[in-house]
Amino acid sequence: KKHDIQIVAVNDLGNAQTPDNYVTNLHCDDTETHRGIRSWRRLSNIEIGNTITDVFKIANPDISRFPTDIPKKEAFDTMNIAANFLNGSRFLAYEAFAKDIASKIDLKTVFPCLKDGTSCLTAQLPKLLASAWRRPVDGTEVNRLVELFDAMQVDELSSENAAKAILQAIILSHHFLSRSELGTMQADKT
């Protein structure tokens, strides 16, 4: 099986705004591979806002504090445009955003049984995480968040504040902020 990728060299890639600074001559002789390079990328600002609306039912989340996404040839690219990388200032904006969103989420909708503590989170998190992270989740991922919730309770954080911190963790997770461009379709069509 032969894979051949050639990168076109240019003097200054800058923000990849010229047509000459793209991966070229991309081909693969493997007949089983017909989708190209597997790519793990950060969601665009608009995709983050749309996901928040879809998952948490918050209309028009304020994404204005995020550094501006820079397109390349009308396509969003976090692989070749340095300004779109996940850097310190972008993450600080995400952190403030997650705190703001967590304060607006209706906890009675997300965790209707919050008074039951960890048993509620254990029951509610699988569906919430699958929706927020756009993929099936396993018990280990759920258990880590439930353990975090427990630890915050031991530190005398209220159930409501601990639940908001869990929501922030979900939003700040690389599973939320990033996505795989390719993958295998699951039995449930996700």
Side-chain angles (χ1 to χ4, degrees), residues 42-45 48 63 65-67 69 76 78 84-101 168 171-173 176-178:
R42 176 184 64 76
L43 295 182
S44 72
N45 296 344
I48 290 172
I63 59 172
R65 69 184 84 184
F66 296 161
D69 287 331
F76 177 68
T78 59
N84 287 341
F85 293 171
L86 181 52
N87 57 23
S89 63
R90 189 174 294 276
F91 190 80
L92 288 174
Y94 287 167
E95 189 175 36
F97 176 77
K99 185 175 183 179
D100 179 55
I101 293 299
Q168 289 176 47
I171 294 167
L172 289 173
S173 168
F176 180 86
L177 295 173
S178 301

Side-chain angles (χ1 to χ4, degrees), residues 43-58 60-61 63 97 134 176:
L43 295 182
S44 72
N45 296 344
I46 291 170
E47 289 171 317
I48 290 172
N50 289 342
T51 304
I52 290 292
T53 298
D54 291 344
V55 174
F56 299 109
K57 309 303 180 220
I58 294 179
N60 304 311
I63 59 172
F97 176 77
R134 300 164 302 278
F176 180 86

Side-chain angles (χ1 to χ4, degrees), residues 2-9 19-29 36-37:
K2 180 184 171 197
H3 305 277
D4 183 22
I5 299 174
Q6 178 183 2
I7 306 294
V8 173
D20 295 332
N21 54 8
Y22 296 93
V23 175
T24 62
N25 299 327
L26 179 61
H27 66 274
C28 179
D29 294 333
I37 297 174

